[in-house]
Amino acid sequence: MKTTEVIVAFILTLSLLSFPSLGFQSDELLVDDEEFGLEGAPQPRSPEPIPSRSQPVTTPTRKRHSDLDSDSKIQFSLDHAFGDSDFTPAGTFSARLKTWSHGGQTLTKLRFSRNSFTDEEKEKFKNLLESDDFYRIRLPSNVLSPPGRDFIISSVKARCLPREGLDEHFVIHMEGINVLAVNYGSPGSCPYPRNLKLPAKWSFNSHTVLKNSEQAPRAPVFTEEILGGENGEGEVVPPPERSFWAKYWMYLIPLGLIVMNAITQAMNLPEEQATGQVPAQGQPSGGAMQRGPSSAVRRR
Amino acid sequence: MAIRSFLFLLLLFFSSLNPILSLYEDQVGLMDWHQQFIGKVKQAVFHTQKTGRKRVVVSTEENVIASLDLRHGEIFWRHVLATNDVIDGIDIAIGKYVITLSSGGSILRAWNLPDGQMVWESSLQGPKHSKSLLLVLTNLKVDKDNVVIVFTNGRLHAVSSIDGEVLWKKDFEAESLDVQQVIQPPGSDLVYVVGFAASSQFEMYQINARNGELLKHESAAFSGGFLGEVSLVSSETLVALDSTGSILLTISFHNGKISFQQTPISNLVGDSLGPAAITPSSVTGIFSLKVNAITIFIRVIGEGKLEVLEKTNLKTAVSDALSISEGKQAFALIQHAGSEIHLTVKPADDWDGNLLKESIKMDRQRGLVHKVFINNYIRTDRSYGFRVLIVMEDHSLLLLQQGEIVWSREDGLASIIDVTTSELPVEKDGVSVAKVEHNLFEWLKGHMLKLKGTLMLASPEDMAAIQSMRLKSSEKSKMTRDHNGFRKLLIVLTRAGKLFALHTGDGRIVWSHLLQSLHKPQACQHLIGLNLYQWQVPHHHAMDENPSVLVVGRCGPSLDAPGVLSFVDTYTGKELSSLSLAHSVAQVIPLPYTDSTEQRLHLLIDADQHAHLYPKTPEAIGIFQREFSNIYWYSVEDDNGIIKGHALKSKCTSEVADEFCFDSRELWSVVFPSESEKIIATVTRKLNEVVHTQAKVIADQDVMYKYLSRNLLFVATAAPKASGEIGSVTPEESWLVAYLIDTVTGRILHRVTHHGSQGPVHAVFSENWVVYHYFNLRVHRYEMSVIEIYDQSRADDKDVWKLVLGKHNLTSPISSYSRPEVITKSQSYFFTHSLKSIAVTSTAKGITSKQLLIGTIGDQVLALDKRFLDPRRSVNPTQAEKEEGIIPLTDLLPIIPQSYVTHALRVEGLQGIVTVPAKLESTTLVFAHGVDLFFTQLAPSRTYDSLTEDFSYALLLITIVALVAAIFVTWILSERKELQEKWR
């Protein structure tokens, strides 16, 4: 069992290595991811799209007259609720608000500090675990003037969280200074028959990721390319040489079958003769010769 | 299994061939049918001139103007105007042009009466928005030219009916005038414009129709104010109601002098019955008044004296006046009495002197008469005959003449709001519906003809005979289930609240059922049909039951109005039961559970987010309780820009104990910033979609796993500024964001921004991909994008050894609460057309490759292979990729003329495309509806699992016979030879 776990872990790490585009699994807080602070921003070629991406927020009211990009620290709080209870503060996100010269604002360097559960909360959480109920969190939809238009709510079955401690994973989808949605859940899987399991220690192990929108790939425009393509076709790229087997397998297999068939028949023939020999006790060649007339006789 | 893999191989083989599916000319109409409709008639003008005596020109609520044959009801010609080009009025000018006023009175067009060609069009502008009125002056000529008077947008225009030139115009800009009528007194060249100003002022303008000169302007105040419609009782007298609706005002403006006469309604009727309303009509001297459900006919005698002619509580409809001879007018009156309607034609001056009185039996399923149009003709005995055109509650159009229904048109089918299908009954043993061929001679003749056709000896007449024989083949229009599942019933719900069952073989109406029947009007005043769901689809153990559909409706236009459920048997069209609900219906969720009688469980969400379970049986609640914690749903608040997820909480805590009602709780929410994003489209996968395999084998023998969650929602948002017309914003101000959201947890799985693009977005979601269509402002072209989503958590299941050793997680249940490891692939392509609708083919097992069905702006349906929208297309695909079927990358999606599903036909006013799988895997049934209906069968990868229609069975038979004969001959020969050998 342990070996399989090792293998699984190995494969996981391998897959992580081979797919860096979804490699935001590191549980590291966003300490220094350049100035964008986009841990896990899938496109490493982001410097070009970034300025245009933040254009949507360019509302004239937010335009600042400073040419310099300015930073300021902001905080916003995370609230939680147990089942259908009311929301209570559970932690604080702190981040740096970066104001771009063209007016856009983005958050960088998001940090999260979780309040540890009080005894009462522990008790509530245990109740949730027992009844397989929802643990709900909420964030303001605007980080500058919370709560903005409405709160962003997300919830998870409480039984998905406990592992060693309580593992949680936030993916906060941002649009400038607005929070669109938050994907909240356990960092790994949470298979369906959720078993009751109490955490060994009552401390949260939080992972947070900020996500902004990706730029869509442009539709390919070829006007010259088509010409180029035609030129390229003129050269006629020789198809890669395939092996003899790959080319002629369809002939070889029937041939093989025929050969096999012939061999088995050849094997059977002596056997038959051998069985036929027992009563005749004569030469093997004679038996075959005799059979013809005898059958002819029978037919008459 | 072997068969399946064989099929799959075959499929691959065929799909590697030319993907285009087209048909030959003589195959048109074999599997497809097309029906033309016009919609609910608003206005009808009979053409009484000699050449066109057999025609009626109508305008409809679907913005159609059409010329119909009065003898058979067929369409001579028809024009479908754009959806925002609503027709305000039609008339006939100089005997050969149909004049239409549309688009809020700003476009005046003339159409040639015989063939429907447009003769001229003029655009009429005005200073302010107002009621628009059309009046064709009959006996007034200005420079030998007939004049059309149009009042629109606060301005009076006189337009030449020959070339549409504006002769003069007169503004009524200065006054806050609400013009009610434009009147031409017979035989004069004056035009009166009358209306109300400042709600208590009556204004009258007398204008010279020749040059637009204002001759007289009078106004008079009436302290009581005015209410609603007015009725013109003579060319210089109007009847109106005061603002309380209890006093009748007779306004006469003879010679420019305005005088009011007041008559309280209670004086006429005797007792007060509540608020009254005038039914607009134009019968000289008579008007009708509706008080509650009572209709009162009143005559105006001389100076404001009123006389009650008749009081009736029957449902009544009145036509406009028709002048039959010099100074004589007649009008038609239709009254409902049980299952009959009584048609009376009365002269305007003599209430009791009926010109015509007829009773006609009327199908209850047509509902009430909504409109009546009268026309006269001269009988063979030189007396006057009358025919009336009536519009029914179900939007059908009927012509009555000589006490009979001459023809009827089911024009309710022009406004379909929902479609579902039902299987036909299974053919019972011994009861064969198929007709035996009438006689041997006919049969032989048919086969001779066919033989001639195949040998190319047939003359054109013979070809026509063959074609009609093929079309008539009774096989496809049988009322029983067929082996291939091609024959089904299309159950459609129309805007009139009528349910039709159409046979897929030939499109005929099998039954129809009006939801709001005459017998129970008290339950619900304005029933609006909303949706159709399959309520009971019997198979396995409930085979004896008939299938039924659930119709969800609402009483009244507001969202909080109580709902109505109706259960209709799909074989007979009878209503099994109906329920008037105490709660509203905001959302209907068909649950994937059925009870022992195969009734599907439905969850109805009301406006207060309470969930109600139907059917209300203990068995249903038992099934429901088991899955209680696994039921999630979402709601989209379009105008708020919020999407919310919900789950069930507990039983309702209302004072009335209801064990079928549940409270819900909010689980998640996605809030789009209102200043930068606005929801413009949301699409989910079809609930009944079948996917054959999760794995997708890609070129290098690798496997990708499709992310096949049923809980995915595609949302498109656009910049609020860019939600208007295309081109109203600059590319810098507009963007479009596409989201894929898991509706159980509210996770955003994918999010991508298209800068410089804007809606409208049309999208279709199937399997693990979504295709959406939008406009790119930067390159001034329409684009289509595809997003495919793949599951990475299963990527390591490819290991054969794990599979062998049982260490894979293929059988472990998937939970939305696990963190999804998905990757997406996307690509954008240019597309030439703008769209009206988009759908995707669906087949029984999901093996057949998919085609997108695109409803183009030209009202045609185009089939586009999904492989053109593969995000893995590259400029130079490798040999292996080519073998897999990847097409080299192009920037433009090709439009191949042969791949128009509708071939030469147009589905005017196209609204939706519905695909239904047939039982035969290769084939899917396509139903496109708009003002017209179109149905066909499609085989996206050709019919690889059946022989084609024109397969030569004879040749096969001959070959077999010849082979058998050859075997015998050679056998005999060999025997003989062997014998000879032996004798040697």
Side-chain angles (χ1 to χ4, degrees), chain B residues 220-241:
Chain B
F222 175 71
S223 55
F226 304 99
L227 177 80
E229 297 275 354
V230 297
S231 186
L232 194 67
V233 288
S234 78
S235 59
E236 291 175 334
T237 318
L238 277 179
V239 176
L241 278 169

Side-chain angles (χ1 to χ4, degrees), chain B residues 506-578:
Chain B
D506 50 6
R508 68 174 190 274
I509 296 167
V510 179
W511 52 259
S512 60
H513 171 74
L514 187 69
L515 293 177
Q516 188 177 21
S517 301
L518 289 166
H519 46 272
K520 42 170 187 184
Q522 73 285 352
C524 183
Q525 278 298 320
H526 301 281
L527 182 89
I528 301 169
L530 291 177
N531 285 105
L532 271 178
Y533 297 92
Q534 289 186 332
W535 179 252
Q536 198 176 16
V537 186
H539 58 284
H540 304 320
H541 43 276
M543 212 60 199
D544 300 333
E545 307 258 347
N546 286 0
S548 53
V549 288
L550 165 69
V551 189
V552 181
R554 190 194 290 148
C555 280
S558 85
L559 280 172
D560 307 331
V564 176
L565 300 186
S566 175
F567 304 92
V568 180
D569 185 327
T570 62
Y571 288 174
T572 61
K574 297 271 175 304
E575 190 171 52
L576 300 172
S577 62
S578 72

